[in-house]
Amino acid sequence: RPVQFIFAGKAHPNDKPGQDLIKRIVEVAAMPQFVGKILFLQNYDMELARRMVQGVDVWLNTPTRPLEASGTSGEKCVMNGVLQFSVLDGWWVEGYKEGAGWMLPMERTFADQGYQDELDAEMIYNTIEEQIVPKYYDRGSDGIPHQWVDSVKKCVADIASNFTTNRMLRDYEERFYNKLAARKREIVEGGYKLAREIAAWKRKVSAAWDKVRVIDVQRVRIDDEAIFVGEKYHFEVTVDIANLRPEDIGVEMVIAQQIVGGGKVNVTRTIGLKHTKTDGSRVTYALDYVPGEAGTFDVALRLYPYNPHLPHRMDFALVKWA
Ligand SMILES: *Cc1c(COP(=O)(O)O)cnc(C)c1O
């Protein structure tokens, strides 16, 4: 059950360790015990890569987690029915399917790279010896490795089909281009009517924003009271909205998992308050909130300019915390 390793690749002129590694592979390939078993092909280019991705049985890729940018060559292989064996890093994290290739786990076991490399090498040898080679050499009476062929079919059907330019273009079209085209049609209609309205509204809100003031906030005193799931709690924010209209302002409650020691903020929910009262330029927004989840949360109230015609909140990202 012989196995042949074929290496190819170029090291960047400034990448001395990469050049040394290639030199070492060439030296090993010349040792009598490895002649014909380890090969190094020079001048890796598209022509050579094209032949390799079509001609080999397994594409072995051994990146250091999590440094693999993508691993495009592995994608080129699965397009050609070549089974990939790689660390779950880069595209293989999304691409790998059991029974249609092989993987090394995504998580590191050791912080020390030397130990990690040793463990990975052991796992690579074990996988080749115990899984890849037996499957490849397990031939039926017709001389065909049926299980291997099953894996190749699974690889093409379940992995390759999901990594085509077609799929990528469809994603762009559906998620971005179509929406953008519809938005453009909407915004230019009638001599840029909507664009002008939004621009005028933004000018008005920008000019007034410094004068918008929170006058009063009523909320549960979280420090003094226990909060119960299923009970109703009243929140109210009274704002001097300057010369804006009540509907120009959105007020919302932001609920985040408790923020520990300046750590990452993980917002779990935002809930809008409703406009309930107008008294000249003093406007009140209120919410009866019924907690649905037990746990420790941080809660805050904030105002932002509201306009249903904005494509996204971040298109006009003004905010005031109450
Ligand atoms: C596919 C290809 C690459 C990219 O290879 P990776 O393993 O994804 O880094 C580089 N050079 C050539 C000539 C290629 O055909």
Side-chain angles (χ1 to χ4, degrees):
R1 295 176 165 182
V3 175
Q4 187 179 51
F5 289 87
I6 302 173
F7 290 86
K10 282 178 178 162
H12 189 273
N14 295 331
D15 179 9
K16 181 76 168 54
Q19 290 168 3
D20 290 347
L21 178 65
I22 290 177
K23 189 158 166 269
R24 180 71 190 143
I25 294 169
V26 172
E27 280 167 15
V28 172
M31 293 176 182
Q33 66 270 42
F34 291 120
V35 167
K37 298 190 171 115
I38 298 208
L39 301 179
F40 184 80
L41 298 184
Q42 295 180 344
N43 296 324
Y44 187 54
D45 61 4
M46 275 170 50
E47 182 51 34
L48 177 57
R50 191 172 76 89
R51 289 168 188 271
M52 288 180 72
V53 298
Q54 291 176 15
V56 301
D57 296 299
V58 175
W59 197 257
L60 176 65
N61 185 30
T62 59
T64 299
R65 311 164 184 78
L67 300 180
E68 178 58 85
S70 168
T72 325
S73 57
E75 296 180 56
K76 297 186 311 206
C77 279
V78 302
M79 300 292 155
N80 287 283
V82 169
L83 301 173
Q84 181 174 239
F85 179 21
S86 177
V87 178
L88 285 188
D89 192 10
W91 87 282
W92 200 223
V93 177
E94 295 168 58
Y96 169 75
K97 292 254 160 50
E98 205 183 329
W102 300 271
M103 56 88 174
L104 292 187
M106 179 156 63
E107 297 78 23
R108 300 176 71 109
T109 305
F110 298 107
D112 180 280
Q113 191 57 43
Y115 288 145
Q116 186 63 48
D117 285 347
E118 240 174 82
L119 174 68
D120 284 342
E122 270 319 307
M123 288 171 80
I124 289 170
Y125 289 129
N126 282 340
T127 306
I128 292 172
E129 286 178 18
E130 289 165 18
Q131 297 182 40
I132 301 179
V133 170
K135 198 175 206 170
Y136 182 84
Y137 281 104
D138 178 16
R139 311 275 154 144
S141 51
D142 50 6
I144 293 171
H146 291 282
Q147 285 190 40
W148 188 273
V149 173
D150 284 348
S151 288
V152 168
K153 286 181 180 170
K154 191 167 182 263
C155 168
V156 172
D158 295 355
I159 303 178
S161 61
N162 200 29
F163 286 86
T164 62
T165 309
N166 238 344
R167 201 233 66 226
M168 178 190 72
L169 283 178
R170 257 200 330 271
D171 279 2
Y172 275 111
E173 197 182 1
E174 285 164 14
R175 291 200 211 156
F176 308 110
Y177 296 162
N178 287 347
K179 287 183 187 169
L180 210 54
R183 173 76 181 161
K184 192 216 167 196
R185 278 194 296 276
E186 191 186 11
I187 210 156
V188 304
E189 207 182 289
Y192 292 84
K193 184 166 173 289
L194 185 57
R196 288 171 204 277
E197 277 170 20
I198 291 175
W201 178 82
K202 282 183 177 176
R203 272 195 300 275
K204 180 182 80 168
V205 175
S206 291
W209 193 247
D210 275 350
K211 286 176 235 128
V212 171
R213 272 190 319 121
V214 175
I215 296 170
D216 187 41
V217 178
Q218 289 185 34
R219 55 186 291 174
V220 198
R221 244 172 284 138
I222 294 172
D223 299 338
D224 310 353
E225 297 171 38
I227 308 279
F228 295 95
V229 169
E231 278 194 30
K232 196 191 282 181
Y233 296 93
H234 189 71
F235 288 78
E236 229 178 70
V237 180
T238 302
V239 184
D240 184 335
I241 60 168
N243 61 336
L244 300 178
R245 301 166 305 167
E247 61 268 33
D248 288 330
I249 307 261
V251 183
E252 67 187 355
M253 183 161 86
V254 183
I255 304 171
Q257 272 163 16
Q258 190 176 39
I259 303 158
V260 187
K264 205 168 147 266
V265 177
N266 188 357
V267 172
T268 53
R269 247 186 114 183
T270 56
I271 309 168
L273 278 69
K274 290 226 162 57
H275 170 211
T276 52
K277 213 165 47 186
T278 306
D279 175 10
S281 70
R282 296 162 75 106
V283 177
T284 301
Y285 302 83
L287 166 73
D288 284 320
Y289 174 58
V290 181
E293 245 189 300
T296 319
F297 300 92
D298 277 320
V299 174
L301 295 159
R302 68 181 172 197
L303 345 174
Y304 60 95
Y306 176 77
N307 186 326
H309 297 298
L310 292 183
H312 191 275
R313 180 89 71 85
M314 295 310 289
D315 184 58
F316 193 52
L318 297 175
V319 68
K320 272 190 188 186
W321 294 92

